[in-house]
Amino acid sequence: MSDIEKIKQHYLPKAYLSFFATQGRTTPMIYAYFLATRESKYLSIDRICFQNYLYEHKIKSENSTTLNYFHPNEIENSFIEYEGKYSSLVKRIVNDIETTDTYILTDDDHDTLTLSLALFQFRSPSFVNISNYITEKILFEKTDLIKMLKAEYPDIDEQVIKAGIAHENLSLAIHPQKGIYVDSLKNVVKDDQLCILRSNTCAFITSDAPIINIWGCRDNVDYDILGMPITPNLFLAFIDSQKKLDPVIDINESDVQKLNMKQRNRKAPSMFLSQDDVLSAESCEQTIENIELTAGMELFEGMVLDEESLALYHDMMKSFEK
C-alpha cells in the first residue's frame, strides 16, 4: 500500500464540522451524541464522520495476495478544493452578517453553497454503499458486462475490471464535477431563494447527515425548505416560496426547535452540538432530551409536516410512554 493513500476519509468534512467546534489543546473539539448508545463524548473532529477507504475499491489479484485500490484517493481528493471554498465562504458570510446584518453572494458563491449541500448529501456512507450494491448486484450479477470486457481485454485481471467499474460508477454519482446525483440536487434548488435563517435565542444542532427538508404553510403561503445548519446560529436554507424573502431571516426559538427536531428525526448515527448548546459532554443527553420534549410538543403549531416526520413523531411519543 502506498504511503500517500488516505485511510481515513471524511464523509462530512472537517471544513463543515469546524464551525460547530471549539479549539482543544491540539485540534478542534466537538460535543458528539451517539443515538444508538445514548452516549455523549467530547471528541476531536478528526475522529468523527469518517470511514476507512470509504471511496476506494479494492483490487485483490487472483495471482497475488497484495491488496491495492483502483485510482486511490481520486474521489477523496476531488472534494478538497470545494471544502476549502466552502470554509472561506461561510467565514465571510458569518463576518458580513455580524458587521452589516446582510451578505452578498456572487454566482460562484451560490454555486459553492449548492454544490456543498449536494456533496454533503451524497458522499455519505449510506449512498456509497447503495452505489456499490447496485454495481455488484445488477451490473456484475445480472448482466454480461464482465464477460464482454474480459473477452475484449483478456490480459486484464477480472478484479481490476470490477474495481474500475465500481469506482467509475461511484465517481459518476458523487464527483463534484461530473456526479449526476450531485447535479440533480443542484438543479432541484437552482431556482429557490437562498436565505440564511438566524437564531439569536438558541443554537442549531447538526448531525452526520445534516441536510433536512421541511415544508408546510405559514401565513397562507406554502413553502418548502431544503438546507442545513452552517454554524450554531445560522442555517443555510434553499426556500421554494411564492413570497419574496429577505436574505437574512430571524427565527424564534420555537422554529429553531422544529428544525432541530427534524434533525433529530433523521435518525442519523451521531448528532453534534456546539458549546452554545452544552457546557460539558455530560449535558449532551439532557440537551437532546429537551429538544425531544419541548420541540415535539410544538411541532404541529403553524407547520404542516410530511408523513415521514409525523410517523417519527408518533413513534417518539410512544417511546416516552414506555
Side-chain angles (χ1 to χ4, degrees):
M1 182 183 70
S2 169
D3 60 0
I4 64 170
E5 288 177 3
K6 297 178 181 177
I7 299 176
K8 293 171 60 174
Q9 299 184 343
H10 283 78
Y11 51 89
L12 193 59
K14 291 183 283 185
Y16 175 83
L17 293 167
S18 63
F19 289 98
F20 297 86
T22 54
Q23 185 59 45
R25 284 184 295 179
T26 57
T27 62
M29 306 286 289
I30 200 166
Y31 292 102
Y33 182 80
F34 301 95
L35 294 177
T37 60
R38 299 191 77 86
E39 291 180 335
S40 54
K41 295 182 180 180
Y42 188 49
L43 299 171
S44 165
I45 61 174
D46 289 329
R47 297 177 56 195
I48 56 176
C49 298
F50 75 89
Q51 282 192 13
N52 290 347
Y53 301 111
L54 176 61
Y55 307 112
E56 308 302 341
H57 295 88
K58 299 177 182 179
I59 304 171
K60 188 172 182 180
S61 174
E62 298 172 355
N63 303 316
S64 172
T65 58
T66 302
L67 185 64
N68 296 304
Y69 294 89
F70 190 89
H71 289 179
N73 304 335
E74 182 181 65
I75 296 177
E76 167 74 2
N77 287 344
S78 72
F79 302 135
I80 294 175
E81 174 188 351
Y82 302 98
E83 291 171 3
K85 292 178 68 174
Y86 171 84
S87 180
S88 298
L89 178 55
V90 172
K91 288 177 182 177
R92 175 159 61 84
I93 290 172
V94 170
N95 180 71
D96 288 351
I97 291 177
E98 288 179 350
T99 56
T100 68
D101 214 37
T102 190
Y103 58 92
I104 297 175
L105 298 179
T106 65
D107 289 343
D108 186 58
D109 293 336
H110 193 282
D111 287 345
T112 295
L113 293 175
T114 56
L115 177 60
S116 297
L117 185 84
L119 287 176
F120 297 169
Q121 177 75 1
F122 290 119
R123 58 188 279 191
S124 65
S126 58
F127 189 82
V128 172
N129 291 338
I130 289 172
S131 175
N132 292 336
Y133 180 86
I134 291 173
T135 300
E136 179 72 26
K137 297 299 181 181
I138 297 180
L139 286 182
F140 294 169
E141 295 184 7
K142 297 185 182 298
T143 73
D144 293 327
L145 179 61
I146 300 301
K147 183 186 296 185
M148 292 167 55
L149 291 174
K150 279 290 292 180
E152 187 170 353
Y153 304 102
D155 296 332
I156 299 180
D157 191 295
E158 181 174 323
Q159 296 301 315
V160 175
I161 293 175
K162 285 185 173 181
I165 293 171
H167 184 84
E168 185 62 19
N169 282 348
L170 181 60
S171 184
L172 287 172
I174 68 172
H175 193 284
Q177 295 176 330
K178 60 184 179 182
I180 56 175
Y181 288 100
V182 170
D183 281 343
S184 294
L185 187 56
K186 287 172 61 180
N187 288 331
V188 166
V189 300
K190 69 177 182 179
D191 296 324
D192 291 351
Q193 298 181 65
L194 191 159
C195 304
I196 300 294
L197 309 183
R198 176 173 60 183
S199 169
N200 295 311
T201 56
C202 60
F204 294 108
I205 62 171
T206 191
S207 71
D208 48 8
I211 314 303
I212 61 175
N213 181 212
I214 193 166
W215 63 88
C217 180
R218 176 164 293 179
D219 299 327
N220 295 318
V221 178
D222 292 332
Y223 65 87
D224 188 340
I225 299 174
L226 184 68
M228 62 184 179
I230 56 174
T231 75
N233 70 316
L234 298 178
F235 186 100
L236 172 66
F238 292 89
I239 305 178
D240 181 7
S241 175
Q242 296 176 348
K243 181 180 178 180
K244 178 64 176 176
L245 302 170
D246 294 329
V248 179
I249 302 173
D250 287 311
I251 62 175
N252 58 35
E253 182 174 354
S254 175
D255 287 333
V256 174
Q257 297 289 31
K258 290 167 186 172
L259 291 168
N260 284 347
M261 188 63 176
K262 185 71 174 182
Q263 195 77 247
R264 167 67 176 83
N265 279 346
R266 288 292 306 278
K267 295 189 176 180
S270 310
M271 302 182 72
F272 307 115
L273 302 93
S274 70
Q275 196 169 27
D276 296 333
D277 293 290
V278 290
L279 298 177
S280 67
E282 288 72 21
S283 64
C284 283
E285 183 169 353
Q286 185 61 48
T287 303
I288 297 296
E289 289 178 350
N290 287 342
I291 291 169
E292 293 171 346
L293 292 170
T294 59
M297 299 305 179
E298 299 173 352
L299 270 172
F300 295 107
E301 296 180 10
M303 187 168 290
V304 179
L305 293 180
D306 56 283
E307 293 182 1
E308 177 191 10
S309 294
L310 290 173
L312 289 169
Y313 171 83
H314 288 302
D315 288 344
M316 184 191 69
M317 288 297 113
K318 287 179 181 178
S319 69
F320 291 153
E321 296 172 1
K322 295 179 181 179

